[in-house]
Amino acid sequence: MKVLSMCFSILQSIPRKKIFQSPFMKVVNEAEMMSLNQQKRIEELEAQLGEVEDIVRDLRAELREVQDELEKLTKNSMQCSSEQKSGHGVAASEEMSNVKTISDFGSVALKFCP
């Protein structure tokens, strides 16, 4: 605290014109400008981060929906397979010919009974 008050009293004793021209004040001004620029950049990055977080949230929700749909189709496919294996003879072979394939999930191809 004493050091701060000493610095303050020294600055007060120097005429204002000289303070603004001193190398010390130039460094202070440059540091303030850098700080303001960095603060501005931080705010820009925080705004971008917020946008990215929103996108991630939306993608996760969409992924959950697709996973739920995939799970439903997989269960349906398993039920269809177990019904066909149960030995209904001609009915089972007819069901097999009516099986459709879903390829909307990229490389995942699922079969389901109509």
Side-chain angles (χ1 to χ4, degrees):
M1 193 68 169
K2 289 182 181 182
V3 174
L4 184 59
S5 58
M6 279 183 14
C7 289
F8 184 69
S9 63
I10 291 171
L11 287 174
Q12 283 181 332
S13 66
I14 301 172
R16 283 224 175 256
K17 237 181 186 179
K18 288 187 178 182
I19 290 176
F20 291 111
Q21 295 173 354
S22 72
F24 172 74
M25 287 309 293
K26 287 180 182 178
V27 170
V28 169
N29 288 336
E30 288 175 14
E32 286 176 347
M33 288 302 295
M34 283 179 55
S35 177
L36 288 173
N37 288 336
Q38 288 175 346
Q39 185 60 38
K40 187 176 179 181
R41 182 67 177 141
I42 288 170
E43 290 171 3
E44 291 170 358
L45 290 171
E46 286 175 341
Q48 288 177 0
L49 177 62
E51 291 173 11
V52 170
E53 286 174 339
D54 290 344
I55 291 169
V56 168
R57 190 176 314 115
D58 293 344
L59 288 173
R60 284 185 176 151
E62 189 175 331
L63 177 62
R64 271 187 240 110
E65 290 174 14
V66 170
Q67 286 174 331
D68 291 345
E69 184 67 24
L70 179 63
E71 187 178 336
K72 288 176 188 175
L73 292 172
T74 303
K75 285 180 182 178
N76 193 11
S77 175
M78 288 180 179
Q79 288 175 351
C80 184
S81 294
S82 65
E83 288 172 5
Q84 290 170 355
K85 289 180 182 178
S86 66
H88 290 314
V90 176
S93 64
E94 283 179 19
E95 283 182 30
M96 188 63 165
S97 65
N98 291 330
V99 171
K100 296 181 182 174
T101 302
I102 298 289
S103 61
D104 293 336
F105 298 102
S107 62
V108 178
L110 301 173
K111 296 183 178 185
F112 67 97
C113 297

